[in-house]
Amino acid sequence: MFRPLRPIARPLAHGCQYTTAARAKQRLVVLGSGWGGYNLARKVDKAVYDVTVVSPNSFFSFTPFLASTTVGTLEYRCATEPVRGIEHVQYAQGQADAIDFKRRVVRVKPELPAISDYILSARETSRTADALQPSTDNPHPPERYEIAYDKLVIATGCRSASFGIPGAAEHAFFLKDVRDARAIRTRLLDCLELASLPHTTLAQRRALLAFRIVGGGPTGVEFAAELHDFVNHDVYRLYPRLRGEVSITLYDVAPGILMSFDESLRAYAEKKFARDGVAVRGNSRITAVGADWLELDAHERHPFGLLVWSTGLEVNPFVASLDGLAKHDKTRAVLVDPHLTVLDTNREPVEGVFAIGDNSTPAHGPSLPATAQVASQQAAYMSRTLNAIATGRELRVQPAFEWSNKGSMVFVGDERALVDRSRPNVAGPKSRLAGIAAWVIWRSYYMTLAMSWRNKALVPMYWTLAFLFGRDVTRF
């Protein structure tokens, strides 16, 4: 007989510290590990702050590379950075589900499996990794716990929006983090293998190889471009029976794609997609989605093997559930003052509580775009501001946050890209560029923007491997 293993941990007590650092440090709790939260945790001064990151994701997703990971141009590790890799930062893998602003505590629900008893298999103990088998008897349910803070930064971001389209959330794939990229890649390879089976009919094969993207913004366009390159450079070489069978269609409710870009650059992208056989269907309204079909304008049904949905963002349930804070009437994002301090329902600052990234919006002035560029700049500003007030300077005398628009870039396939710095509010010289030169700028910029030296080395290595030997189609 084998004795069940005892639980290995207990829930943290109320108000407990997640670290044993000196009490002289202020407790900074950062909610979220995206562009805002992760960058803030990296840059804030750990000599004056005892930093804890609370996030259901133990990693940061480098979103510009997600489309590349869906088809094997890059591997997943190239698009991630571990939160625990940040020196002198504690990490709690969980979902913040409430904040008590009076007591200055965050309630956290662990985003982990239940702590189950494990039974050792006598016969396999020394021979296989399957020796530990989870028992369903008397599992220990996860328990919520609280983390106290002196300063709190809400950087939980937004989630992908389906705008209430029936079936979209259940049957479409989103592309928000590396787990989404893995799911898309798995489904894509499944479609290719199913289409290759000898008993698959022509109609079934064409449906399986109908890849559809909803959303003509940069994410949808880059995924369509990566998918086109994968199909033409690798799929038709590795699956010769499928040559000419794949179709890629991009839908958007707007008249065209990349509507935030300069008109000449939009035209370049649409012409290139037309030459490449990527169908662009503007003025298209998706009204319903099924397991293997989408409904267009309430009457046309289009079959698909893979549907990727990239139509925008909506506030996440946690931010929507926060009481006592001022919210934007339409987006429900938290309102912040010029120093990114959260405002209560009386439009007064909540002391020690800040919000950055997609889940916040200025109380006065124009809204900022929900982009990585904005969140990164807010994180840098927030780190400077927190460092200043930790040394005794007053928050009200600190400079207000100002967003500096650096322009936009997007990859459109076949070593081509667009760089748009033509908008009036772009900082520095105005310019627009399309083609190979823009692609070189796109790759160079994002390669240098990769957070760690590990990824700065891995990214060009995998690009080179994909160029020389093709993309990896291993499914596991």
Side-chain angles (χ1 to χ4, degrees), residues 72 80 146 174 177 188 196 223 296 307 357 380 398 413 432 436 441 446 464:
T80 60
E146 294 179 332
F174 299 99
D177 64 32
L188 179 59
S196 300
F223 175 70
L296 191 63
L307 174 63
Q398 300 305 309
R432 61 179 69 86
I436 295 178
I441 294 172
Y446 284 127
T464 303

Side-chain angles (χ1 to χ4, degrees), residues 34-37 39 356-358 369 371-380:
W35 282 95
N39 278 290
I356 61 177
D358 304 343
T371 62
Q373 186 181 138
V374 172
S376 296
Q377 291 184 30
Q378 288 180 329

Side-chain angles (χ1 to χ4, degrees), residues 426-448:
V426 169
K430 307 295 186 287
S431 63
R432 61 179 69 86
L433 190 62
I436 295 178
W439 173 75
V440 172
I441 294 172
W442 180 88
R443 277 207 165 181
S444 301
Y445 176 75
Y446 284 127
M447 184 179 70
T448 57

Side-chain angles (χ1 to χ4, degrees), residues 16-25 27 50-52 90:
C16 72
Q17 287 298 307
Y18 223 74
T19 176
T20 57
R23 289 289 185 263
K25 292 185 180 181
R27 299 164 297 184
D50 183 11
V51 183
T52 300
Q90 301 295 325

Side-chain angles (χ1 to χ4, degrees), residues 206-222:
R206 287 179 175 172
L208 285 165
L209 299 179
F211 303 138
R212 307 193 186 278
I213 303 111
V214 178
T219 300
V221 167
E222 289 195 339

Side-chain angles (χ1 to χ4, degrees), residues 11 21 117 175 209 229 257 261 263 276 306 315 354 357 366 373 376 397-398 413 420 432 442-443 465:
D117 294 332
L175 188 51
L209 299 179
D229 288 359
I257 58 175
F261 278 68
E263 184 177 356
D276 293 343
L306 170 69
V315 68
F354 307 87
Q373 186 181 138
S376 296
V397 302
Q398 300 305 309
D420 188 4
R432 61 179 69 86
W442 180 88
R443 277 207 165 181
L465 290 174

